Amino acid sequence: MTEDTWGRVCDELQKSVGKNNYLTWIAPLKVIEVNDGIAAFEAPTKFMRDWVQRNFAEAIQRELRKFGVVVERIDLRVSSVRPVAPAQSGYAANTVAANAPVPAGNAARATAARAKAAGHHEEELPGAPLDARFTFDTFVVGKPNELAHAAARRVAEAGPVTFNPLFLYGGVGLGKTHLMHAIAHELQTQRPDLRVLYLSAEQFMYRFVQALRERQIMDFKEMFRSVDVLMVDDVQFIAGKDSTQEEFFHTFNALVDQGKQIVISADRAPGEIKELEERIKSRLQCGLVVDLHPTDYELRLGILQTKTENYRAQYPGLVLADGVLEFLAHRISTNVRVLEGALTRLFAFASLVGREITLDLAQECLTDILRASDRKVTIEEIQRKVAEHYNVRLSDMIGPKRVRTIARPRQVAMYLAKHLTTRSLPDIGRRFGGRDHTTIMHGIRKIEELKNDDRQLAEDVDLLRRLLEN
Ligand code: ADP
Ligand code: MG
């Protein structure tokens, strides 16, 4: 492969993985040879080699193919001579600061950051790739996510830290990762002087274990303590992993003490993460805890409309009949990822068969998705989940006991039965041991009332609802 071809591949890679990732991970690679269906590269360190292999090998292979270099795999080796410092190795360290335009007034800070970036451990800022589509511009705001969105915006302004951490939680596919990437994108353009690190909790652990193995734990600590904004996605992953938790806790505290912003996401509230140490739970609760609620009809429709705009450009000439988006927003209530998948498939299918997108076509091509979304929660399932959650017997759900510790969960189950099923009150009453419909109504009202003041109860109800809806 000629240098020129590799240069052009690099240009493409820069677009597909983002400039920051490109500079951090791909620019430092050296092409060794392309031979026998293998493209061999040299990476400056073992860590970089592994990271590139895990995160970028596929992208490199794909881009090579576009330029006629078809290989079966990418082989990454470690340079035999380790560069002493990034400056000498001839590649542009990791930093946004070193390369991005510097807004007026920030010049001094940027220079400082650049100087800092030349430090020896800075070559390996192990951020995960950012999805270029996950920006604030493409995030549709509605009632269920307006708080989370506003909080994310606030963090992205990088003003004085007012809440730390920002803890975003919610069910699968509700936009947690999207919002975190959006913060990172915004900071990269508005505040290139800041060191922003986004990664999943799994990657945090991977990095930690690797540092332990290679006896580079001091480097690890220093690196994580040198960032200005740390974002850790899906933190529930480290529950039960003791030494990773411990390290996370120390990193967290060190950054908070330095007044650095931390953003965390999880699939449930801090208190609900089992096998997470109490002291971590309580630290996580110290900042702002915001919940991404399940989508409602308006938000789903808004998202579908926005995405459709993009597809119109991609598939000019496709006709979308009235009512199709409304139908999808109504019928697919699981999560946004499924909703997007449905729309993608619908447009691809329609353009393949050259037909107008009608309700019939939607039903035909989305049968499986529609059927899965159709799954109705039963009252028995609700009772079982609620009993499990509150650690009471299933039989007590329908039995006569009136002690608060049993009556309250029972009322929660009644409330959920009303909201998640289409059963009538008398019908629900029958399934709760033959209770009268007025008793059911009373139970539902009680929970509605309590939810306003009792945060714990409100969280319980939301969590259960999510668990049951997924
Ligand atoms: P999570 O991390 O909460 O599981 P993601 O952030 O990965 O969910 O979101 C799943 C998909 O849904 C992504 O493609 C994302 O862009 C999209 N999505 C979620 N919420 C919104 C929203 N409010 N507006 C636009 N797209 C959204
Ligand atoms: Mg996610």
Side-chain angles (χ1 to χ4, degrees), residues 258-295:
Q258 293 178 55
K260 308 297 188 175
Q261 180 74 55
I262 297 176
V263 184
I264 304 284
S265 87
D267 63 354
R268 60 198 71 188
E272 296 287 346
I273 307 179
K274 294 208 172 84
E275 290 191 74
L276 191 65
E277 273 185 60
E278 280 310 321
R279 55 180 187 165
I280 301 187
K281 282 187 196 173
S282 71
R283 283 306 301 246
L284 290 176
Q285 277 158 340
C286 282
L288 180 64
V289 178
V290 238
D291 177 354
L292 283 139
H293 295 273
T295 56

Side-chain angles (χ1 to χ4, degrees), residues 11 21 28 33 58 65 90 101 104 122 129 141 143 192 197 201-202 208 246 255 274 281 311 329 339 371 414 447 449:
D11 288 344
N21 277 313
E33 59 178 3
E58 262 178 44
R65 195 177 313 127
E122 308 276 353
V141 184
K143 264 233 153 326
L197 181 54
E202 185 180 6
F208 172 59
E246 175 88 21
L255 287 173
K274 294 208 172 84
K281 282 187 196 173
Y311 283 122
L339 201 62
R371 197 181 306 125
M414 292 173 181
I447 297 301
E449 248 171 62

Side-chain angles (χ1 to χ4, degrees), residues 218-236:
M218 287 319 290
D219 288 359
F220 175 91
K221 284 179 188 290
E222 249 179 75
M223 200 281 306
F224 273 94
R225 282 156 181 68
S226 73
V227 302
D228 297 303
V229 180
L230 175 67
M231 294 197 267
V232 182
D233 208 349
D234 289 319
V235 82
Q236 75 277 354

Side-chain angles (χ1 to χ4, degrees), residues 41 48 62 111 121 219 240 242 245 256 258 289 314 366 461:
F41 294 87
M48 289 187 69
R62 193 171 55 236
T111 312
H121 60 272
D219 288 359
D242 293 343
Q245 272 191 46
V256 170
Q258 293 178 55
V289 178
Q314 202 178 326
L366 302 175
V461 171

Side-chain angles (χ1 to χ4, degrees), residues 173 175-178 198 233-234 265 337:
K176 301 181 293 295
T177 298
H178 190 135
Y198 164 87
D233 208 349
D234 289 319
S265 87
R337 202 171 288 137

Side-chain angles (χ1 to χ4, degrees), residues 134 138-140 145 173-178 307 336-337 340:
F134 292 0
T138 57
F139 191 82
V140 182
N145 60 24
L174 296 181
K176 301 181 293 295
T177 298
H178 190 135
K307 309 258 171 209
V336 183
R337 202 171 288 137
E340 283 182 340

